[in-house]
Every structure is written in C-alpha cells, then in structure tokens.
Amino acid sequence: MNPGIRRRGARLSLLVAGTVSAAALAAVPSAHATDVLPSPPVASVGPVLPGAPGAPGAPGAPAPPATKTPAFGAYLHYGPRGVERMSELSEWLGGAELRVGHTYLPGDRWSNIEGAPRFLEAWADWRKEKADRLFVLNVPMLERNEEGVSDREVARLLRQGAAGRFDHHFRVLAERLVGLGVPDTVLVPGWEMNGTTYTHRCGPDPESWKKYWNRIVTTMRSVAGQEFRFDFTPSRGRDAVPWTQCYPGDDVVDIIGMDSYDQPRGMSFDEQVTEPFGLQDHVDFAAAHKKPISYPEWGLFRNGDNEEYMRRMLRWMDEKKPLYNTVTDYCPHGVWQCKENPGASAVYRDLLSGRDGTPAVPTVPTAPAEPADPVRPPQCSPLDLGDWVDYWLGGKLCVRLDWWQGERRG
C-alpha cells in the first residue's frame, strides 16, 4: 500500500446416528453439507447421545473456551498524526482498545528505509505506553520503491541484495528500533511482493528475492537486544506471481499475513475465500507451516460501500483469530476517515465498539484434520451405502467386529 493512495485493481457437518440390530450393527456419524440434504432427526443410540456424561454440553463437561477478540487497529496516517488519531478512533468505537499501531517507512531513499530521525519516535512512545500493544512496521526492501522500476533493473537489484550489498541499511534500522525501546516490533518487509507495483516485488527473480529476505532477517536478528517478528505478507489472490513461490522459509518467517481488499469488482466474499491463493489458501498454508496469520491491510475497494463484505470479513477474522489486523482507514477503503462508506462504516462500528482487543490464544491455526468420531462404538467397521441410504437410516451402519463373542459376563 502506498501510504497516501491505493493503486491497483487487483460446511456445517451434521452428525446423525441410527440403530439396526443391537447384536451386530451400530450407527456411526455421517457428515452432510446442509445445502445438499435436510437435517434428519437424531436416533437414540444410548451412551453416545449429546448430553451424555462427558459429551459436549453435558453436565460436568468442560465448558467451551470463551471467544476472544483478535488484536486490531488501523492505519490512520504514516506519521505522528497517525498516532494522535488512534485515541480518536477508539473514542468513536466506544472506547474499544486499539492494540495495534501500523505505519510504513518511506521507500524513496535508503536513509528513510533506515528509519529517519524523528519519524519513529512517536510510534515508539505509543507502543511503550502499554505492555500488550503491537507496533507493526512495513519496510521497503529497495529504494525508489514506487517509481516504476523495470523488471530487468528489479532483478539486478534483488541479486545485489541477495549478495549482501544492502545489509548495512537494515542493521541501522534494527539498531534504531532497539535504541528506541521497541525491539519487539512486527516487521513487514517487501509487502505485496506478488504484485507489480513495488520495486521490492518478487516476480522478476523469485530465488534472489527469497535469498535477499533471508539476508535482511539474518542481519536484523544479529543486533543485540532485538525481539523482532517478521511478517511475510502477499496480496490476496494470484496477482502477477503465485505468492507461494516467494515464501522464503519457516526459519525466517514468524507470521504469514495477507493484504485483502474488496476487489476486483463483482467478486463476492465467498469467491475471495475460495479463489486460488485466496483467504482459505492463506489460512491453510499458514497452518501447514505452523505460523500465526495476520491481515496488515484490508478494507473496502472496488465494490464500494459494501456492508456484506465488512460483516463477512470481520466474522472471518473472529473465526480465524489472526495475531492482528489493521484496516486501511482512508478513502476508498476506510470506515472512520472516509465518509463515502456510511453503510460499511456502521457495520464496523457496531461490531467492534467496546471490544478490548484481547488476542485469541493460541493464534497459530491448526491444519485440517479428520473430525473426531464421538459415536462410533469400538471395534466397529462402517459400511458405505451411499449418502441417501445413510440419510434415510439416520446415519452410517457399521459391523461390530466382536459380535460373535456375544455379551461378555464378568
């Protein structure tokens, strides 16, 4: 994201059970998508019924954990004015706790990428006021970052970076952050690398890009006192190159983020979830690599004042529990500073007002797994009779492998 202007267009499982002959056959769960089959009544199967001792919701069973709010904030301005606006946004949200401050280092010249004097002080002061705050800093990997540098030149610069030519700039930045008392800054180097906008893009030479990222992280981690976390953040979707081709490795990535705006025009939220390299692929990729997720940039865009997007995106983040998220709050993306989106703004305010921003624990997504089978009896082999037979029987049938033993007596 350019800190002044945005550039580009870029199943409920149902368990059912039934019984057919207590001697040899028993019912086990069957999963159906609710848009395919109606919900059948649940047959009585004794000790496996919901409400039985130890079953979910039963007396004496552990209560489900309370849902907590992902840490959130907003990008409000790149400089000190952004810090001042945090309290104003919190007031607008009924005192909601904005735990995340987010800004960008200018990418015009190396001296600014190093963290020019008087640029970071206000953010460092804000971060240190409360122990549970997060300071998120986007870091350009190359100067002239928004000047339309050619692919050929980008490839040359990436090779130089991979060889260590620019290491000293990132050492200066790391030392400056540690010196300011914010050694735990979340750093987002080379954001949206799968696109075409920035000089620090990956497409012209993915292998050199990954080596360069490794050098940046290694250099910054070498500074005494640092506790940095590094956030690998592509833009949602394939864009110019699949972002998975740019992933530099688990040892140099702490968080896997995604910048996700309501675009392109006409794309529904469901499509944003299911598109290649979209929201679901992001969550699954992070789970496979055992990393927490984040959304450093998100907001409205090509589909205007879209209340449905706002509602669904907030719900998505409540469910997926990223380490943090920060909405991009200026037009056309924003909800507080942009008066062009009154409907989505009302949704955002209604859903987030008064929240305390306490992060969910754990924040690392879990990889997809086979659902636990709470009702299959032991020593039971399920029979595959097809969905419709399962439905009308009230569940799958299974053959008890120990039926021939009869009832055991003590």
Side-chain angles (χ1 to χ4, degrees):
M1 183 203 72
N2 176 326
I5 185 169
R6 185 72 195 179
R7 330 74 60 211
R8 66 164 199 278
R11 167 174 42 155
L12 160 70
S13 294
L14 176 68
L15 297 178
V16 295
T19 58
V20 179
S21 175
L25 298 176
V28 299
S30 177
H32 301 286
T34 55
D35 57 349
V36 176
L37 295 175
S39 301
V42 179
S44 175
V45 288
V48 299
L49 281 176
T67 299
K68 295 185 178 181
T69 306
F72 68 98
Y75 171 75
L76 299 167
H77 187 275
Y78 71 94
R81 184 71 182 111
V83 179
E84 298 169 11
R85 291 173 181 171
M86 297 283 282
S87 60
E88 300 171 37
L89 177 57
S90 174
E91 184 178 353
W92 182 73
L93 288 173
E97 180 71 18
L98 304 181
R99 290 187 54 237
V100 190
H102 185 193
T103 193
Y104 300 73
L105 289 171
D108 54 344
R109 62 189 69 181
W110 280 115
S111 60
N112 284 330
I113 295 173
E114 292 174 352
R118 296 181 300 278
F119 181 84
L120 293 171
E121 278 81 351
W123 291 101
D125 290 343
W126 175 87
R127 161 65 187 92
K128 291 182 291 185
E129 285 176 3
K130 292 189 177 182
D132 62 349
R133 285 178 173 173
L134 294 175
F135 175 43
V136 179
L137 181 64
N138 280 46
V139 181
M141 293 169 67
L142 291 166
E143 64 178 352
R144 298 184 292 147
N145 200 36
E146 297 181 42
E147 296 184 13
V149 177
S150 69
D151 282 355
R152 182 176 180 180
E153 176 69 0
V154 168
R156 184 182 72 85
L157 292 168
L158 291 176
R159 289 193 294 271
Q160 290 180 351
R165 179 175 177 180
F166 309 125
D167 289 1
H168 61 287
H169 298 299
F170 297 97
R171 185 174 295 107
V172 170
L173 173 60
E175 291 171 347
R176 183 158 284 157
L177 291 168
V178 171
L180 288 170
V182 285
D184 58 352
T185 298
V186 175
L187 299 161
V188 191
W191 68 99
E192 301 185 10
M193 77 300 294
N194 54 326
T196 60
T197 299
Y198 300 116
T199 304
H200 64 215
R201 61 191 181 270
C202 166
D205 190 340
E207 291 307 311
S208 291
W209 192 94
K210 289 185 284 188
K211 291 177 182 178
Y212 185 23
W213 171 287
N214 273 263
R215 290 204 69 101
I216 292 171
V217 173
T218 300
T219 297
M220 297 190 74
R221 283 178 175 171
S222 72
V223 172
Q226 67 81 32
E227 301 171 14
F228 302 128
R229 284 179 285 182
F230 292 87
D231 191 333
F232 170 82
T233 300
S235 57
R236 197 200 74 237
R238 187 186 189 280
D239 216 322
V241 61
W243 50 261
T244 51
Q245 293 183 12
C246 308
Y247 186 67
D250 290 346
D251 56 332
V252 289
V253 172
D254 301 295
I255 306 160
I256 298 178
M258 177 163 282
D259 288 352
S260 184
Y261 290 89
D262 186 20
Q263 65 173 355
R265 192 178 306 277
M267 178 177 276
S268 70
F269 187 79
D270 286 333
E271 291 172 307
Q272 295 177 29
V273 171
T274 60
E275 69 170 326
F277 308 102
L279 291 171
Q280 188 62 56
D281 281 352
H282 167 230
V283 170
D284 292 344
F285 185 86
H289 291 266
K290 298 179 173 60
K291 305 291 182 181
I293 61 172
S294 71
Y295 299 97
E297 290 186 36
W298 69 279
L300 305 161
F301 198 11
R302 300 295 183 183
N303 296 301
D305 184 17
N306 189 344
E307 297 179 33
E308 177 69 7
Y309 166 83
M310 183 58 60
R311 185 175 295 106
R312 294 285 301 278
M313 189 65 184
L314 289 170
R315 184 189 305 163
W316 176 267
M317 291 187 290
D318 278 351
E319 292 173 352
K320 305 307 177 183
K321 296 178 173 52
L323 179 65
Y324 71 91
N325 79 78
T326 45
V327 67
T328 301
D329 195 62
Y330 59 78
C331 287
H333 316 300
V335 290
W336 177 53
Q337 298 184 119
C338 184
K339 306 306 180 185
E340 297 175 8
N341 303 312
S345 176
V347 171
Y348 183 90
R349 189 179 190 186
D350 179 60
L351 294 179
L352 292 185
S353 283
R355 288 196 181 192
D356 65 2
T358 303
V361 179
T363 56
V364 179
T366 55
E370 290 295 323
D373 187 347
V375 297
R376 181 190 297 180
Q379 302 295 318
C380 181
S381 178
L383 302 178
D384 187 3
L385 303 177
D387 286 346
W388 279 105
V389 174
D390 293 346
Y391 168 67
W392 289 113
L393 289 175
K396 279 188 178 295
L397 302 180
C398 72
V399 176
R400 290 284 298 268
L401 301 179
D402 57 352
W403 64 270
W404 54 274
Q405 296 180 5
E407 183 181 357
R408 294 182 177 182
R409 302 185 183 275

